[in-house]
Amino acid sequence: MELLHEEETFDKIDFLGKKLAGIEFNACTFKNCNFAESSFSGALFIDCTFETCNLGLANLDQAKLQTVAFRNSKLLGLNFSRCDNFLFAVSFYHSNLDFTRYVGKKLKKTLFDTCSIKEANFAECDLSEAAFLNCDLYQTLFNRTNLTKTDFRTAYNYAIDLELNTAKKTKFSSAGLSGLLAKYDLVIE
């Protein structure tokens, strides 16, 4: 595969188990591609979109994701905390992010729109001004996480300990308040 791809569309390509090390993708679109168990180690993605792709268990060690959008994709078990931090910026729409890790990542203003984010780990992240719109956060961990101005108003199934996180002007709906009291084992009717 060539080392530089610009403004290309990749449709129905099977990258299963492939290594993309050292390859740069600039303003590319990936549609219906299979990246399961592939290695993005050292690859660079700038202004790229993944649509209806499977990236399950892909290796993201030192992958550079700079303004990358994931739409209708499966990202099961990805460890985003292994991505390169320089200009790291991602957004997620209608995707499955179950069992993903973001430990220590700067995700300020990141958009999670209508995603399943079950059993994910956001420990020590900066999620300030991020938005979880219509997201299922069942058993997702927030620990020493900056949640300043984060929007959880339409998120559900979360349990957030406000004593272990920074939560100033964080937005919650009244229906979601039970997720803030979960550690107290209360019966709320």
Side-chain angles (χ1 to χ4, degrees), residues 61-176:
D61 287 358
Q62 294 306 304
K64 296 166 183 69
L65 304 180
Q66 301 173 2
T67 316
V68 175
F70 298 93
R71 298 178 183 279
N72 301 301
S73 293
K74 293 180 185 176
L75 302 133
L76 297 171
L78 292 188
N79 189 350
F80 287 95
S81 56
R82 304 289 303 196
C83 289
D84 188 283
N85 288 325
F86 183 70
L87 298 176
F88 178 81
V90 290
S91 56
F92 306 95
Y93 307 85
H94 300 270
S95 293
N96 188 329
L97 302 166
D98 295 347
F99 312 107
T100 50
R101 294 177 49 86
Y102 308 84
V103 178
K105 291 310 277 185
K106 291 182 180 174
L107 296 162
K108 187 173 185 169
K109 297 184 180 180
T110 298
L111 177 62
F112 299 86
D113 186 352
T114 317
C115 294
S116 178
I117 314 175
K118 297 175 185 171
E119 298 186 49
N121 187 339
F122 287 99
E124 300 176 8
C125 286
D126 180 358
L127 280 165
S128 58
E129 300 181 71
F132 291 90
L133 308 178
N134 302 303
C135 292
D136 186 350
L137 297 169
Y138 178 75
Q139 291 192 343
T140 289
L141 176 68
F142 297 92
N143 188 1
R144 295 189 305 271
T145 304
N146 182 354
L147 301 173
T148 302
K149 296 183 181 178
T150 304
D151 189 348
F152 289 100
R153 289 178 293 182
T154 57
Y156 52 97
N157 290 333
Y158 55 82
I160 300 171
D161 187 339
L162 296 179
E163 293 176 22
L164 299 177
N165 297 284
T166 303
K168 295 179 182 173
K169 299 192 187 252
T170 306
K171 299 170 187 157
F172 298 100
S173 70
S174 58

Side-chain angles (χ1 to χ4, degrees), residues 31-43:
K31 294 181 177 182
N32 306 298
C33 293
N34 182 17
F35 290 96
E37 300 178 25
S38 60
S39 177
F40 285 37
S41 183

